[in-house]
Amino acid sequence: MNAVLTKEKQQDSHGRNESLTQKEKVYETKGLNLWYGETQALKNINLDIYQNEVTAIIGPSGCGKSTYIKTLNRMSELVPSVRTSGTIAYRGRNILDKSYKAEDLRTQVGMVFQKPNPFPKSIYENVAYGPKIHGIKNKKLLNEIVEKSLRGAAIWDEVKDRLHENAYGLSGGQQQRLCIARCLAIEPDVILMDEPTSALDPISTLKVEELVQELKKDFSIIIVTHNMQQAARISDRTAFFLNGEVIEFDETNTIFSKPNDQRTEDYITGRFG
Amino acid sequence: MDRLINKENVSRRMTGRILLNLIFKVLFLLATMFGLFVLGVLLYRIFTQGIGSLSMDFFTNFASRKPEEAGIKAALTGTIWLMGVVTPVTLILGVGTSLYLEEYAPKNKMTTFIQINISNLAGVPSIVFGLLGLTIFVRAFAMGQSVLAAGLTMSLLILPVIIVAGQEAIRGVPKDLRAASYAMGATKWQTIVRVVLPAAIPGIITGAILALSRAIGETAPLVVVGIPMFIAFLPKTIFDTFTVLPMQIYNWTSRPQEEFQAVAAAGIIVLMVLLISMNSVAVLIRNKFQKRY
């Protein structure tokens, strides 16, 4: 049923927006508001995410960019006082609808966090965690998934001889790529990255950036970043958030060369933030 | 340049400051030594008094009217039986409660109310728990002076301690580990079983062992429940009556004959060895699993 809906949506957007894009929409956010208790953190967000693209979200601290990315896999719900309104359609189905199980959504949408957060388990067990909770018990299949995921995250050669050692023995950069491998192991459709390189040194950052370029062939990636050069280097589209609102959302080249809004220009030229 | 601080005065005060520092160091050392000294005297007295009565027979004999024949077979076995009831009951109820309060309970007034009451219960005198056990388990549920009634009473006594220790251990598991698990589509239960509990178990076990060793040494609630002090048989089921080490020791110390004091001292040695080894295991577990994040 999902597939049919997606098909229709695709034709729809083809009919209307043919000049703008040929790509399929993964997420369509319409009129999203979000409150933490009495404080409104997101105000009327309208944003589309396209397949096999890297979408960067930039903006100063506290502008709502992390909050937004967390609504995309409903991790925002873990804060008890959160309320939302509006819709976020993932492949045509509203994920803010109560009947959409968060667990179900998260098997399609993986997440990489700001600080590397491997489990205090072996490297192998870290990667096999996702498939195992999804009910895969077959040892051979698990081995294949682990190898494929570690290769996909460009860390296989570094860890293949110590798969059963504790993941805490890896360096920070390796731990973050392990977390990416762990995310790949559930074979997601979308990967959310919440400032994935902010805790890493420049060389590890470069490796992760190269990896993102590689991964977008198979996945749609949404990356929150504080680093504007990073957004310019790796993303296809960029959204600029300020005080919980989307100020501007366009192709990255446009945003960084001739932004429409004065505030965007001030931010990317470093005049504030 | 005008100086606001007179350096001469500063160096004049230096000697006094350093002396005061030394005085407090010695004061705190003496405070520590006082406790150690009293403990040392106690241990010395117990060991010199009781070591003569410690023999194989002491472990294999039942209580007796004759001091030279008196043994702790019934009491030691009874303590083990009691632990056999208390350990599973407190672990299941305690870990269950702390998991509920930390992971599931909504953060509202009701939860806060329960939380405050659990902390208060930890401070209720043990004799009050004895009265509760007598009213509910012994009388209302007609369990009599059985291992089960005494075990449940003891469980109530140490549950608050285990719950609080368990909650602290669970709270100590980093939030981002839970987030990583949820983000891969794990349910709350899967996250608890595969991430939270493995990381929290050392803390839970340490707390549980310390609480259990309190239950082993506790006497007052069992006196109120009516556990006999003199018994010459072993319990066969949890519905039989029994006695425990501290009760037996209390019985011996209250005998008029001088010789029973030595027997009591021997009993105390056994009880202390049991408690110290349990506490050591707790410390070992804590050290082994420390610094995992």
Side-chain angles (χ1 to χ4, degrees):
Chain A
M1 196 186 116
N2 219 342
V4 176
L5 275 174
T6 319
K7 232 350 185 309
E8 281 169 7
K9 272 274 170 341
Q10 191 181 357
Q11 283 164 354
D12 242 38
S13 62
H14 272 225
R16 282 203 308 254
N17 297 326
E18 206 160 12
S19 57
L20 204 72
T21 180
Q22 291 290 338
K23 282 178 175 163
E24 197 173 328
K25 286 178 188 173
V26 180
Y27 275 109
E28 280 178 273
T29 308
K30 287 207 179 82
L32 175 69
N33 293 293
L34 183 143
W35 294 265
Y36 289 120
E38 294 303 308
T39 324
Q40 186 164 10
L42 295 176
K43 294 167 194 158
N44 192 27
I45 306 283
N46 293 290
L47 204 64
D48 293 341
I49 309 288
Y50 295 89
Q51 184 162 320
N52 297 106
E53 278 194 2
V54 177
T55 307
I57 297 176
I58 59 171
S61 298
C63 69
K65 51 192 194 309
S66 280
T67 302
Y68 174 66
I69 200 175
K70 279 180 192 147
T71 57
L72 295 179
N73 65 346
R74 285 185 35 195
M75 289 293 277
S76 52
E77 282 173 9
L78 297 182
V79 180
S81 61
V82 158
R83 277 183 304 130
T84 49
S85 72
T87 61
I88 302 176
Y90 165 69
R91 300 272 179 202
R93 211 179 135 201
N94 182 13
I95 60 166
L96 296 182
D97 198 283
K98 282 278 168 267
S99 68
Y100 206 130
K101 292 274 166 261
E103 287 85 357
D104 192 15
L105 175 67
R106 292 173 195 151
T107 61
Q108 295 297 323
V109 183
M111 189 167 206
V112 177
F113 295 81
Q114 187 169 356
K115 224 180 88 200
N117 57 353
F119 298 123
K121 301 171 187 275
S122 71
I123 294 167
Y124 183 95
E125 284 302 324
N126 262 282
V127 183
Y129 184 88
K132 276 187 177 174
I133 55 169
H134 297 163
I136 294 166
K137 293 200 178 75
N138 185 325
K139 269 259 154 47
K140 216 171 135 239
L141 183 58
L142 282 174
N143 289 344
E144 276 176 46
I145 293 174
V146 169
E147 180 171 345
K148 185 182 164 207
S149 309
L150 287 168
R151 281 186 193 280
I155 192 179
W156 171 254
D157 290 328
E158 292 158 64
V159 300
K160 63 182 175 197
D161 300 321
R162 46 171 174 157
L163 287 179
H164 296 284
E165 285 173 30
N166 196 304
Y168 282 42
L170 298 173
S171 73
Q174 288 174 323
Q175 287 189 8
Q176 192 62 307
R177 276 179 290 142
L178 176 67
C179 291
I180 295 175
R182 184 174 65 182
C183 171
L184 297 182
I186 62 172
E187 301 194 336
D189 178 25
V190 183
I191 300 174
L192 309 174
M193 295 183 162
D194 189 359
E195 300 185 35
T197 60
S198 63
L200 304 184
D201 64 87
I203 294 170
S204 304
T205 301
L206 185 69
K207 283 185 185 164
V208 171
E209 286 184 11
E210 285 170 355
L211 186 55
V212 168
Q213 290 303 307
E214 199 58 38
L215 290 173
K216 83 172 192 185
K217 292 172 191 158
D218 299 309
F219 307 93
S220 313
I221 296 169
I222 302 153
I223 182 166
V224 168
T225 177
H226 257 304
N227 181 334
M228 278 170 290
Q229 284 76 33
Q230 184 171 66
R233 276 196 300 267
I234 65 174
S235 69
D236 301 294
R237 268 172 229 267
T238 299
F240 171 57
F241 275 57
L242 187 65
N243 298 329
E245 288 174 89
V246 181
I247 302 301
E248 201 166 347
F249 176 51
D250 212 326
E251 291 186 12
T252 301
N253 286 335
T254 318
I255 291 268
F256 281 92
S257 55
K258 39 181 193 310
N260 263 322
D261 196 290
Q262 185 61 40
R263 289 169 291 180
T264 316
E265 192 177 335
D266 287 350
Y267 183 70
I268 58 173
T269 52
R271 246 168 265 166
F272 77 94
Chain B
M1 195 178 92
D2 267 0
R3 288 180 183 276
L4 293 172
I5 292 173
N6 186 339
K7 290 285 175 189
E8 270 177 36
N9 281 345
V10 171
S11 46
R12 204 164 344 108
R13 285 192 211 107
M14 188 61 81
T15 332
R17 284 164 55 202
I18 290 175
L19 186 69
L20 201 64
N21 190 37
L22 188 70
I23 289 173
F24 273 100
K25 181 181 160 187
V26 172
L27 211 63
F28 296 144
L29 179 71
L30 284 177
T32 312
M33 283 324 206
F34 177 75
L36 277 178
F37 174 74
V38 174
L39 183 70
V41 169
L42 184 77
L43 283 177
Y44 174 78
R45 223 184 102 74
I46 298 293
F47 269 88
T48 47
Q49 240 190 346
I51 204 84
S53 307
L54 272 183
S55 64
M56 257 339 264
D57 286 345
F58 185 66
F59 288 96
T60 53
N61 283 358
F62 285 107
S64 164
R65 257 172 300 148
K66 297 175 207 140
E68 62 277 8
E69 280 176 20
I72 55 159
K73 187 178 181 184
L76 190 58
T77 321
T79 292
I80 293 166
W81 271 85
L82 186 71
M83 285 303 104
V85 172
V86 174
T87 311
V89 170
T90 51
L91 275 185
I92 293 167
L93 292 182
V95 176
T97 309
S98 40
L99 274 176
Y100 175 75
L101 287 175
E102 282 303 310
E103 299 286 328
Y104 292 94
K107 302 272 169 285
N108 58 19
K109 287 201 174 123
M110 188 65 196
T111 311
T112 317
F113 179 75
I114 295 174
Q115 191 69 60
I116 290 171
N117 276 292
I118 288 173
S119 309
N120 282 343
L121 277 178
V124 170
S126 56
I127 198 151
V128 177
F129 281 99
L131 286 169
L132 183 77
L134 179 71
T135 319
I136 296 180
F137 301 123
V138 179
R139 302 248 169 88
F141 291 168
M143 291 175 186
Q145 277 84 32
S146 62
V147 180
L148 186 62
L152 291 177
T153 308
M154 275 298 188
S155 301
L156 285 184
L157 175 68
I158 64 168
L159 254 181
V161 182
I162 292 195
I163 293 171
V164 171
Q167 278 185 284
E168 262 158 35
I170 291 165
R171 219 177 296 143
V173 180
K175 284 239 173 346
D176 52 354
L177 291 187
R178 290 185 180 83
S181 175
Y182 290 135
M184 271 179 286
T187 59
K188 188 160 256 183
W189 172 238
Q190 286 175 319
T191 305
I192 288 174
V193 171
R194 290 163 190 259
V195 176
V196 177
L197 274 185
I201 221 96
I204 293 174
I205 292 189
T206 310
I209 292 178
L210 293 178
L212 287 175
S213 52
R214 180 179 170 202
I216 286 186
E218 198 61 69
T219 327
L222 298 182
V223 174
V224 178
V225 166
I227 300 305
M229 297 187 193
F230 190 99
I231 228 168
F233 56 86
L234 298 179
K236 288 191 181 62
T237 72
I238 52 170
F239 302 106
D240 295 340
T241 193
F242 73 119
T243 194
V244 292
L245 281 172
M247 296 282 286
Q248 186 69 73
I249 292 165
Y250 175 62
N251 173 253
W252 282 330
T253 50
S254 54
R255 297 281 184 105
Q257 297 99 314
E258 189 67 31
E259 295 86 343
F260 269 114
Q261 301 307 318
V263 180
I268 290 171
I269 294 175
V270 174
L271 183 61
M272 278 207 304
V273 167
L274 198 65
L275 289 179
I276 289 171
S277 42
M278 280 178 77
N279 286 343
S280 311
V281 170
V283 172
L284 279 180
I285 292 176
R286 194 163 44 206
N287 289 347
K288 186 165 157 46
F289 290 98
Q290 236 168 16
K291 290 191 225 138
R292 284 186 59 179
Y293 316 109

